[in-house]
Amino acid sequence: MGALTGKVAIVTGASRGIGKGIALVLAEQGATVYVTGRTVTPGEFYLPGTVGETAAECTKRGEAEGGKGIAVACDHGNDEQVAALFAQVQAEQGRLDLLVNNAFQLSDDLIVPKPFWEKPLSNLEMWQVGVRSSFVAAWHAAQIMVPQGSGLIVAISGYVGVTYTFGVVFGSAKSAVDRMARDMAIELEPHNIASVSLWQGLTFTEKAHYNINANPDMKGQTVTNPDVGSSVEHPGRVIAAMAADDKIMRLSGGTFITAEAAQLYGVTDTDGRVIRSLRAERGSPIWQPIRAHGYGNGR
């Protein structure tokens, strides 16, 4: 049996990129993974990947340990579709052990070096699908997790939570995600449900490859230096370790650099590399586990 055999997970925004990598690892370790995203037809988006393709690969990867993928077309900016997703999980599985809030609407001009007043107000889509969507998904997850008295909610964030990166909207969105994860942890703690935020550095997603190939100068910047990047499955390995950790509540409420959490759990990347933390170059997380601050055991 895999470490996550029998567990049920939702990974949002998993048609491609980090979400896909996380979903694959969870399924490989035995979890039933609900894969959500907006792309359902190959070729309808400029980058490859669909929810169906990810789910199929999850099922293939998870065959030995009982893991599988279930594709659900879902726009996380649409509350009705999100409610239907969680209703489906409740009806089909009767439980939910893990929610990974990864969906994030990256604006097309994200890496264009212009000040906020020269960019369109439509960039606030990163608050809609990124901040608000994370809250809505966690709200629904809690409806399932609280009665069962267990669960883990993981928010995918980044160093941008404390370090200027790609603009005002992006930075404020990620810092909000960190604080949300921390405050949710306080209210979820009496119910034995953990909430954490992970700071992911450069990850070799389809979009990252596209941007770096289109803008070779990015290779010389700390944020996008390929030498410190990880595969899309590296954060999945860390999250899988967290989901299998029976002492995960000791970490609840904390913001963790993925590379450092990997070392805590003895996790390497798919090629055996130890991914380096950029704490010294890019900043340190603000929020520590709530039990370190007197909020534990229902206080």
Side-chain angles (χ1 to χ4, degrees):
M1 294 177 64
L4 301 181
T5 299
K7 300 286 188 180
V8 179
I10 294 174
V11 182
T12 71
S15 298
R16 62 188 67 83
I18 293 173
K20 177 180 179 179
I22 293 170
L24 291 177
V25 174
L26 297 179
E28 187 174 59
Q29 297 201 19
T32 294
V33 185
Y34 283 77
V35 175
T36 79
R38 294 181 300 173
T39 309
V40 296
T41 304
E44 69 178 337
F45 191 64
Y46 76 97
L47 295 172
T50 68
V51 288
E53 289 169 335
T54 297
E57 192 171 345
C58 282
T59 299
K60 182 178 180 180
R61 290 272 292 265
E63 184 176 7
E65 306 295 348
K68 64 179 179 179
I70 298 174
V72 180
C74 181
D75 178 352
H76 281 273
N78 184 312
D79 288 353
E80 291 183 358
Q81 291 184 22
V82 175
L85 161 69
F86 284 87
Q88 178 181 344
V89 173
Q90 177 73 286
E92 293 177 353
Q93 309 299 332
R95 65 179 299 107
L96 177 63
D97 301 286
L98 171 64
L99 166 66
V100 181
N101 268 322
N102 169 72
F104 198 95
Q105 180 65 53
L106 295 174
S107 299
D108 291 338
D109 63 355
L110 178 68
I111 64 174
V112 177
K114 288 184 178 180
F116 71 89
W117 63 90
E118 292 183 10
K119 290 189 175 185
L121 285 173
S122 60
N123 280 5
L124 289 170
E125 63 191 355
M126 290 187 278
W127 289 359
Q128 177 71 12
V129 180
V131 182
R132 187 181 186 280
S133 63
S134 292
F135 181 87
V136 172
W139 186 91
H140 283 285
Q143 310 295 318
I144 303 174
M145 292 177 173
V146 168
Q148 71 190 24
S150 63
L152 170 62
I153 299 174
V154 179
I156 301 300
S157 187
Y159 296 94
V160 63
V162 296
T163 303
Y164 179 87
T165 310
F166 301 146
V168 176
V169 177
F170 187 53
S172 58
K174 290 299 187 182
S175 61
V177 165
D178 292 341
R179 178 57 187 261
M180 188 189 305
R182 185 261 189 182
D183 285 359
M184 284 180 177
I186 294 173
E187 298 183 7
L188 290 169
E189 203 275 346
H191 304 283
N192 195 42
I193 301 166
S195 171
V196 301
S197 185
L198 288 181
W199 277 9
Q200 188 64 17
L202 173 65
T203 314
F204 293 120
T205 64
E206 299 87 347
K207 191 174 186 71
H209 282 299
Y210 178 88
N211 286 336
I212 290 173
N213 289 336
N215 305 276
D217 290 345
M218 293 176 66
K219 295 180 181 180
Q221 301 172 18
T222 301
V223 178
T224 48
N225 181 351
D227 292 341
V228 298
S230 77
S231 75
V232 294
E233 293 188 28
H234 183 256
R237 291 182 167 203
V238 172
I239 292 170
M242 287 183 161
D245 184 358
D246 60 4
K247 296 182 176 62
I248 188 61
M249 292 303 295
R250 76 193 192 280
L251 302 182
S252 188
T255 298
F256 301 94
I257 295 171
T258 308
E260 294 178 4
Q263 293 180 38
L264 173 66
Y265 285 104
V267 169
T268 60
D269 206 346
T270 54
D271 58 2
R273 286 185 306 132
V274 173
I275 302 301
R276 183 167 69 85
S277 168
L278 296 181
R279 178 186 290 264
E281 296 92 336
R282 302 201 60 200
S284 302
I286 295 173
W287 306 114
Q288 301 301 313
I290 59 173
R291 288 190 176 181
H293 297 282
Y295 290 105
N297 302 317
R299 288 181 289 173

